[in-house]
Amino acid sequence: MNDTQIIKILASIIAQSAPLMLAVTGETITERGGVINLSLDGTMLLSAMTGFVVALQSNLMLEGMGITGNMLPVLLGFAAAALVGILAALLIAWGSIRLRQDQVAIGFVLTLLLADMANFLGQNHTRIPGPSVAYMPIPLLKDIPALGPMFFSHNLAIYFAFLVVGLAWWWTYKTQPGLRLRGVGDRPESAFARGIKVNRLRYIYTAIGGALVGIAGATYSLSIKLGWSDNHILGIGWIALAIVIFGGWHPVRGAFGAILYGATKALATVLQQAFPEVPVVLFNSLQWLLMLGVLLLAGSKGLQRLVDIVPRPLQRPLARSLRVAAPQSLGKVFVEE
Amino acid sequence: MSEQTIRRIWPSVPIVTALLFITLLLVAVGAKPLTAYQAFFDGSFGGTDQTLSTLAFWVPLLLCSTGLLVTFTAGLWNIGVEGQMIAGAIGSSAVSLLVAKPNPSIPGWVILPLSIIVAMLCGALWAALAAVLKTRGGIHEIFSGVALNNLAIIATNYLISGPWQPPEGGTFRGTVPFPEQALFPLLGTSRFSPLSLILALIALILVALALRGTFWGLKLKAQGKNLRSAFLLGVASEREAINAMMVCGALAGLAGSVRVLSWFDSLRQSISGGIGFLAILVVLLASIRPLWTLLIGLLFSALLNGGTFVHSRVQLHSSLSGLIQGTLVLLVLLLSDYTRVFRRKETVTEANTGHE
C-alpha cells in the first residue's frame, strides 16, 4: 500500500465519520439538557429517507422547469430531514416534560415506529439514483500535502459536521447560555432557583439536538450511502447513542469516538481484503464487540482497571482526563414549582 | 362534556387517533384504506389457514411477552429478547442437525424435549450475558441488548453460510430441513403446533401466579419500583436482576425453538421475524398485566400475519403492520393520562403527587 492509498483511506474515514459525528453531537446536546432521545435509530432512518425523497422530487420539479445543477434540491432535502428530527425530538420532550411518561419507553417505541414508517413511506423510492451533495474542495487548503486531501477535499455536509462539533464545544463550555444548558441537565432545581426556565430550555435543546440527528440521517442518504433502500442505515443510531456515553457527554470526545468507529470499520475492510481466509463474520461482529468494549471502558470499573495499569505518577492525570459523568439529572423529569 | 364522560371515552381516543393517522398514511402512498383493512382481516382471520397461521405467530409472541413480564416487573429493559430468541433457535437447530439427523432412531418424544431444554438454556445464557454486563460491567441492558441482538444475527448468518450450509449451496439462505421427529407435531398442513400453545399458556399462567403471589414476585416488584430501597431492604438486587433476565431468556429461547421447529423446519436468516421487539410493544401496551398481554398478543399476531397478506394482495410494504402497532402503542403511552393532556398550568399540590 502506498502513501496515496493510505491518504485516500484516511480521507474516507473522515467522510464516513461525519454523519455519525453530527448525530453524536446532537444527542450530546440533548442529553446535556437532561433529556434522553432514544429514538435516534428510527429518526435517522426516517430523516435519511425524507431527505433523499425531498431532494429527488424537488430536483425533478426543477428539471421540469429547465433548471439543472442547482444546490436547492439538496438543501431542501436537508431542511426536511432536520424537520423530521425536530418533530421526533419534540414528541419525546413533550411526552416526558408535559405528559410525564417514561422517556425510555417513548423513545424505544418511537425508534421502532419511525423505522417502519421510513420503510413504508419510502417503498416507491428504493434503489433509484438521485441528487447528492456536490463535491467542494476548499481552494488553497486542499493543496496542503496529506492534510489537504484528508480534510479539505470533501463536500459541504462533511465540513458542516466538523463545524458543528466545534460550535457545540464552544457553546457548551465557553458561553453563558452553555453554562445554563449544563445547569439544566445537572441541577435543574438550582437553575430554576436562579430564574432559568428549565423546561423551556430542555424543549429548545432537545429540538436542536433532533435537528442535528435529522441532518445526520440526510448526510447518509445524500452524501455517504447514496439513495434509499429498506433499513438503509439500520443500527447506526444505536452506535451513536453508545458513542455519546463513550464520549462522556463532551462534543469533542464524542467526535473522536465517531472517528474511532469509522477508523475501525475502515481497518476491518482493509484487513478483510488482506486476509480473505478469516471468516467475514469476525469483521461483521467487530463493531458490536467494539461497542460493548468501549462501554465497558466508559463504565467506572473498567476505567479504574485501565488507570491501574499505567505508572503511578501518570495515574491521577489520566484518571482525571478519562473520567466521565452523565448529566446528573439525565432522564429525570423536573417540575417547575 | 362533563369530566366523567371524558374519563369514560378517553381510552378510545388513542385508538381512534391511531386509526386516523394510519388511514392518512395509506392515502399518502396512494392506497385505498378500506381495501387494505379488508386485506388485513382476510389475511389474519379470513379462513382456517389464516387463523391457524395467526395462532402460529401468537405462540412465540406470547412466550417472549411472558418473559418480558418478568424483566419489566424488575424494572429491566430487556431489548435483548430478540437475540435470546435467536440463541434458542440456534440451540434447537444444533440438536436437530447434530443429534437428530445422524441418529434417526431416536424417537421424537426424546429429541423434542431435549431440543426445547437446549433452546431454553441457550436463551437463558445469552440473557445472563446481558445481565452480567449490566451488574458487573455497568453497561445499561438496552445497549448490551442491541449489541447482543446483532451478534446473534451475525452468528446465524455465519452458521447458515458456513458450517451448516446445505451441501448443494444455492441461493436459498437456510439450513437443510430438519428430520420429521425433531419438529413440533403440527396441526394438519398448517405451521401451528397446539403443543407449543399449551406450553406458552402454561408459562404465562405460571409467571402470572409467581409475580402475583410469591415472595420472588414481590422482590422483583420492589426492585422495579425502587431499586435502591429494595436493596436497602435486603433484596439481593444483582442476583435478582440476573435471575429475571435468565427467566426471560429461557422463555425467549423456547420461542426461538418454536420458530425453527414449527413455523420453519430449518434455521433461516431472519428467524426472529421481529417478534421479540413486538413482544416489548405488547407488554408496554398491556402495562405489564398478564391477561392483557394474552389478548393484545393475539391482536398483534393477527396484524403481523395480516401484514404479509396485505403485502401480497395490495402490494403495500409489510412494514405497515409494524407501523400500526407502533402508532397504537405510542399514542396509548403518550395519552394514557388525559388530565396531563388538557391541564394548562399545574398546581403545586398536583406537582407533588406527580413526582416520579
Side-chain angles (χ1 to χ4, degrees), chain A residues 21 24-26 28-29 32 161 164-173 181-182 243-244 247-258:
Chain A
M21 275 164 54
V24 169
T25 310
T28 299
I29 293 173
R32 270 286 173 197
V164 161
V165 172
L167 267 178
W169 169 79
W170 173 75
W171 185 264
T172 321
Y173 289 100
L181 162 65
R182 286 183 289 145
I243 292 178
V244 172
W249 294 267
H250 188 293
V252 176
R253 282 180 57 168
F256 175 70

Side-chain angles (χ1 to χ4, degrees), chain A residues 308-331:
Chain A
D308 286 342
I309 303 172
V310 302
R312 193 160 280 276
L314 284 176
Q315 279 184 1
R316 191 183 278 249
L318 183 70
R320 198 180 300 143
S321 65
L322 284 180
R323 184 144 299 153
V324 298
Q328 284 167 30
S329 297
L330 184 58

Side-chain angles (χ1 to χ4, degrees), chain B residues 52 55-63 112 116 183-187 191-204 254-255 257-259 261-263:
Chain B
L52 286 179
L55 290 179
F57 275 119
W58 192 33
V59 173
L61 186 62
L62 209 50
L63 282 164
L112 190 60
I116 288 174
L183 303 177
F184 272 99
L186 298 171
L187 192 66
R191 310 303 312 179
F192 170 63
S193 156
L195 172 66
S196 66
L197 180 60
I198 292 169
L199 287 178
L201 290 176
I202 291 175
L204 181 67
L254 179 54
S257 175
V258 170
R259 285 287 283 177
L261 300 182
S262 67
W263 183 254

Side-chain angles (χ1 to χ4, degrees), chain A residues 10 14-15 18 86 103 111 136 141 156 160 168 181 201 231 290 295 297 318 335:
Chain A
L10 291 176
I14 294 295
I86 291 174
Q103 272 171 27
T111 201
M136 192 192 273
L141 289 177
L156 265 183
F160 177 72
L181 162 65
L201 270 189
N231 293 331
L290 190 74
L295 286 176
L297 209 63
L318 183 70
V335 185

Side-chain angles (χ1 to χ4, degrees), chain A residues 113 116-117 120, chain B residues 22 25 319-328:
Chain A
L113 171 63
D116 278 326
M117 200 186 282
F120 184 74
Chain B
I22 296 297
L25 281 186
S319 60
L320 179 60
S321 41
L323 198 52
I324 297 177
Q325 291 150 347
T327 311
L328 190 63

Side-chain angles (χ1 to χ4, degrees), chain B residues 60 64 79-94 118-120 122-124 126-127 145-160 164 248-260 267-277:
Chain B
C64 289
I79 306 291
V81 64
E82 189 91 3
Q84 290 146 22
M85 200 175 149
I86 297 172
I90 292 176
S92 271
S93 305
V118 170
M120 291 178 80
C122 288
W126 205 245
V146 169
L148 289 171
N149 287 347
N150 282 291
L151 288 172
I153 293 171
I154 292 168
T156 314
N157 290 341
Y158 168 69
L159 287 170
I160 58 184
W164 293 352
C248 181
L251 291 171
L254 179 54
S257 175
V258 170
R259 285 287 283 177
V260 278
L267 185 63
R268 306 287 180 91
Q269 205 172 15
S270 49
I271 195 72
S272 76
I275 286 177
F277 285 144

